[in-house]
Amino acid sequence: MARVLAVDYGKRRTGLAVTDELQLIAGGLTTVDTNSVIQYILDYVKREPVELIVVGLPKQMNNQPSENMARIEPFVNRLRKLVDIPVEYYDERFTSVLAHQAILQSGIGKMARRNKELVDEISATIILQSYMESKRMKNSRL
């Protein structure tokens, strides 16, 4: 099996997470400057087998796209042209809140909790874990 890569695309920074090759566990990969995220992904998929890229879909509470969608759509369109890997959206509502809660519960120090790169990476991990759980639930119903 190949890995699944998740992207929490942001205006300045983009968090990335990836599964293990058996697609059992989602783990944080890194946070990169948004201007260089395409190149990072291209380099990563050359080194590692990736079968799917999941991009966080920013929605508001009323189910309307958030303002970040105007930046994400061009990114996804460009990515789809550059890689021969399916790219899917997955709802990312509340991932930043969940990431902050996870950091607080982890017991790490106050300065580390302010690390926005860590929040982005954890958000990408939450997106990926949620995607994998929803996929498992669909498959168990079949």
Side-chain angles (χ1 to χ4, degrees):
M1 270 185 147
R3 300 175 190 275
V4 177
L5 177 69
V7 179
D8 181 31
Y9 190 88
K11 187 176 183 179
R12 292 184 183 95
R13 292 171 315 279
T14 297
L16 299 169
V18 68
T19 65
D20 60 309
E21 289 182 354
L22 296 176
Q23 297 181 15
L24 299 174
I25 301 169
L29 181 60
T30 191
T31 300
V32 296
D33 183 275
T34 295
N35 293 327
S36 59
V37 70
I38 292 270
Q39 190 58 54
Y40 185 93
I41 292 171
L42 293 175
D43 292 342
Y44 186 82
V45 300
K46 284 180 188 172
R47 291 189 316 269
E48 296 289 337
V50 174
E51 73 176 41
L52 175 67
I53 299 172
V54 177
V55 178
L57 177 63
K59 289 185 177 183
Q60 299 175 32
M61 290 304 298
N62 64 3
N63 220 23
Q64 295 296 312
S66 77
E67 67 181 52
N68 199 31
M69 192 62 187
R71 289 182 282 277
I72 292 175
E73 224 167 4
F75 161 74
V76 167
N77 291 337
R78 184 165 176 233
L79 189 59
R80 284 178 172 152
K81 289 176 186 173
L82 294 171
V83 297
D84 192 25
I85 300 169
V87 179
E88 290 182 21
Y89 287 109
Y90 189 77
D91 191 345
E92 70 170 25
R93 280 180 280 196
F94 306 115
T95 55
S96 292
V97 173
L98 292 171
H100 282 288
Q101 288 176 349
I103 290 169
L104 280 172
Q105 292 172 356
S106 73
I108 64 173
K110 190 174 184 179
M111 291 307 290
R113 289 195 305 254
R114 292 182 184 166
N115 182 348
K116 293 181 180 176
E117 291 179 0
L118 180 60
V119 172
D120 294 334
E121 185 177 325
I122 291 173
S123 292
T125 306
I126 292 169
I127 291 167
L128 184 53
Q129 189 67 45
S130 297
Y131 171 82
M132 290 170 38
E133 288 171 11
S134 72
K135 188 176 166 184
R136 283 187 200 115
M137 286 176 57
K138 281 182 188 175
N139 289 340
S140 70
R141 290 184 197 147
L142 299 177

